[in-house]
Amino acid sequence: MTHERVAVVGIGQTKHKKRRDDLSIAGLVREAARRALDDARMTWSDIDAVVIGKAPDIFEGVMKPELYLSDALGGAGKPVFRVHTAGSVGGSTAVVASHLISSRVHRRVLAVAWEKQSEGNAQFGLGGGKSGSIGAGGAFAPWIRAYIRKSGAPEHIGWQVAVKDRQNALRNEYAHLQLKDISIDKVRESPMMWDPLHFLESCPSSDGAGAIVLTDEAGGDAAAADGRAPAWVLGTSMRSEPSSFNGRDPIRPQAGVDCAWDVYRQAGITDPRRQIDVAELYVPFSWYEPMWLEGHDIAPVGEGWKMVDRGETAFDGDFPVNPSGGVLSSNPIGASGMLRFLEAALQVRGTAGEHQVDGARVALAQAYGAAAQYFAMWAVGTDKP
Amino acid sequence: MTTRQKAGETRETAVRQDSDIAIVATAQLPAVRRQELTETEMLLMVVDEALGKVDLERSDIGFSCQGSCDYISGGTFSFVPNLDAMGAWPPIHESHVEMDGAWAMYEAWVRLRHGDIDIAVAMGSGKSSTGDPAAIYPLELDPYYLAPLGLDPVSLAALQARQLIESGKSTERELAEIAARSRRDAAGNPNQQVRAAEQDVDKLLAEGYLRNPLRKSDLPPISDGACAVVLVRGPRAAELTERPAWITGIDHRSEVHNPALRDLTDSASTRLAAARAGGVAGVEVAELMAPFTAQEVILRQSLGLADGVLINPSGGALTGNPLMATGLVRIADAAEAILADGRSRTLGHATSGPALQQNLVCVLEGDNR
């Protein structure tokens, strides 16, 4: 049984900000969803099913928010499905939505992911709601130190990524941080948060949502015929492994390697460094860029930092990473994965505006979660698979 | 009991397509007021048992999906350690929904239909004993207007029951009869928590109200529990068990959230989901997730179930209500009616949200021989 082809024909996101005081939670998701529907030239009644993703309910204090959000997302009379796979959830939401179409259960699906961090205390939430918490940076810093020791990377690599992503964000009107005067010196001199991570090497807390409209092959063809290029889904994958055990490699988690190669296989990618034109990787802390370049076999092990150092991942480099500004510039946690996935689709549709990478035909999006143990990815392309 | 086909044995079965998906095994822990096992341990047990029934190993599983709820577990990312129940090394294809395990099963069913894997496990788990459901459940309501009212599920169910009775669609006596029947059925089901409670309708009606018009017998117990089902695609299903419970239809639908904007005496979403799942004609057993007596009436009437249909022969959610697993237990019991009891067509139902906001219907069939 071959599965149905899946196309992204609508994309929307909110302006990501520290606080969206102007909107309720429902208003936030509706802003992104409306933009995606408008982009798809659809109305609420065109949508067969809604898939909602977000990180822990305890962040905002709303349990099972899909129930409350059913009204805002036109959910009455439809299947409304809620995914939660930690930080990878925004990606998983897109993957589950794509499966609803590839399996021929539905033809037009709206996927929405969000977080309104200003309505709660994410630091408290990340600590399991039980303590002050060491925070995500505290959890990841030891692995980043291990990566630096193992690879011999110089310390300026992290600063370079931080500057690059913030400069990219200046091209993206939706990005939260707009740091016009960002520089290597500023990053280096910003307060040390979790050694070796400085304040400016860390993601912000944001309010925001992302949404995509996915259709079957006929829907993708119709959009193409109408002059609105769809992003064809070339491959999707989700993988999980335990958070810790003797022998686990948290620098290059096997779940991430397997997830990437599952997508590469489906997309016919044998040489990711050459065959992928642009990548949106989940980089909440600067050093995760070189780590994921190696973790997904885009760079050889120990050499991800060299790609960064040579400027290859810069906006005008030959392997641009995070042209949107990435998680380092906008981090509504539950939506962060979705933003990677929708940016990849924007790029291959040629509709990324100021942050459009020339000639992007194949794009990879990745999201990870919890103790770098949950992975969701997809590859999208200009050509029908 | 399910039996595994012996090598070389042949058997007549209906023609099933490669794309058809069946439940081949289920397992559940008895619903209890307080389970000493952790949620991970509970899941480990039901996964072991379900896989054991069809001689499968964890390495045979192509996809697994869990349903649980952080708020009920009392901590963020509470589902992460539950990975150990599947043994996530080497890394596994896996997902998690913050919904009842019935929706985890729905995702697993969708994943199987994608066509590249043959076997999936869906799970649901929850421990209410570690928290206070009456304090937690108001948080699933609209956070700006409804949650601050502190409306607990019992109060909402009472509003719903009051409307049902005043609209003439039911009576307090009928609700008591449902409680009595559920308790009689539960007495013979070791998985149910309430097994030795009063079963005389007149005595139940003589008891005082907890929330008018609901008495204690109209309410579910507070339970801990877990459930797992094994789903298999196409011909593999018939190899693994004598009489697979084929999923001939599964669908779920939401409604408007605000209970004031719905007719609480009807469940339009259940009716729609059932129609999309192939309809209720010929259904012999319906396992409806009705934690409150009045909800059984609403579901039965909304579905238009015939008089002869056996409703909740397990005792239902009214006598065992392990949150986040209750819906999957209903489907598992509906599947066992085929797997173990030889029924031909059954229905499992799950609900989520205030006053039956969101509903899932799964129609199952056994091959006639």
Side-chain angles (χ1 to χ4, degrees), chain B residues 11 22 48 98 109 207 257 327 352:
Chain B
R11 157 185 343 112
D48 275 350
E98 198 92 349
W109 173 80
E207 290 177 5
H257 174 65
S352 177

Side-chain angles (χ1 to χ4, degrees), chain A residues 41-318:
Chain A
R41 298 197 191 157
M42 288 187 195
T43 65
W44 297 105
S45 59
D46 292 319
I47 296 298
D48 300 327
V50 181
V51 185
I52 297 175
K54 82 170 295 294
D57 295 356
I58 290 170
F59 280 7
E60 292 87 359
V62 186
M63 178 165 104
K64 302 196 217 161
E66 74 279 4
L67 297 167
Y68 149 63
L69 292 175
S70 174
D71 298 7
L73 294 172
K78 294 176 192 172
V80 178
F81 197 81
R82 185 328 182 45
V83 183
H84 180 17
T85 62
S88 66
V89 66
S92 305
T93 306
V95 171
V96 170
S98 80
H99 286 163
L100 280 170
I101 292 165
S102 65
S103 64
R104 298 189 175 86
V105 175
H106 295 299
R107 295 184 55 220
R108 294 168 301 257
V109 176
L110 172 67
V112 185
W114 63 279
E115 204 76 62
K116 202 161 191 299
Q117 290 200 57
S118 69
E119 303 225 4
N121 184 335
Q123 192 79 352
F124 172 81
L126 285 167
K130 294 189 214 61
S131 69
S133 171
I134 54 171
F140 295 135
W143 299 334
I144 290 169
R145 288 197 297 274
Y147 170 75
I148 292 170
R149 253 197 312 279
K150 212 166 159 181
S151 69
E155 62 181 339
H156 69 259
I157 297 298
W159 310 337
Q160 239 172 293
V161 172
V163 171
K164 173 195 65 114
D165 280 5
R166 271 56 178 270
Q167 284 175 339
N168 288 350
L170 294 171
R171 300 170 177 270
N172 180 2
E173 59 178 320
Y174 296 110
H176 172 178
L177 297 184
Q178 303 284 342
L179 307 176
K180 294 192 172 59
D181 57 348
I182 189 81
S183 68
I184 294 280
D185 288 346
K186 288 226 155 151
V187 176
R188 185 182 57 226
E189 284 155 21
S190 66
M192 183 65 80
M193 295 286 283
W194 306 273
D195 192 6
L197 295 168
H198 292 79
F199 177 73
L200 283 173
E201 288 177 273
S202 310
C203 54
S205 280
S206 314
D207 288 356
I212 51 175
V213 175
L214 301 114
T215 70
D216 59 4
E217 182 174 4
D221 287 344
D226 195 28
R228 293 173 294 127
W232 293 100
V233 176
L234 307 178
T236 66
S237 190
M238 288 154 69
R239 285 290 191 289
S240 310
E241 70 182 43
S243 52
S244 63
F245 57 91
N246 193 3
R248 176 173 191 242
D249 185 353
I251 298 171
R252 192 171 183 274
Q254 192 62 38
V257 177
D258 292 357
C259 192
W261 280 103
D262 190 17
V263 169
Y264 299 161
R265 179 185 52 75
Q266 293 167 55
I269 293 168
T270 51
D271 183 350
R273 173 70 176 81
R274 304 213 187 301
Q275 289 169 270
I276 295 167
D277 300 312
V278 55
E280 276 280 324
L281 306 178
Y282 201 102
V283 179
F285 302 98
S286 59
W287 283 93
Y288 268 100
E289 178 170 307
M291 285 167 73
W292 292 143
L293 290 171
E294 295 173 30
H296 308 326
D297 287 332
I298 294 162
V301 171
E303 298 188 14
W305 66 267
K306 294 177 184 169
M307 277 182 71
V308 176
D309 211 20
R310 289 192 294 260
E312 291 166 18
T313 61
F315 188 78
D316 57 357
D318 68 357

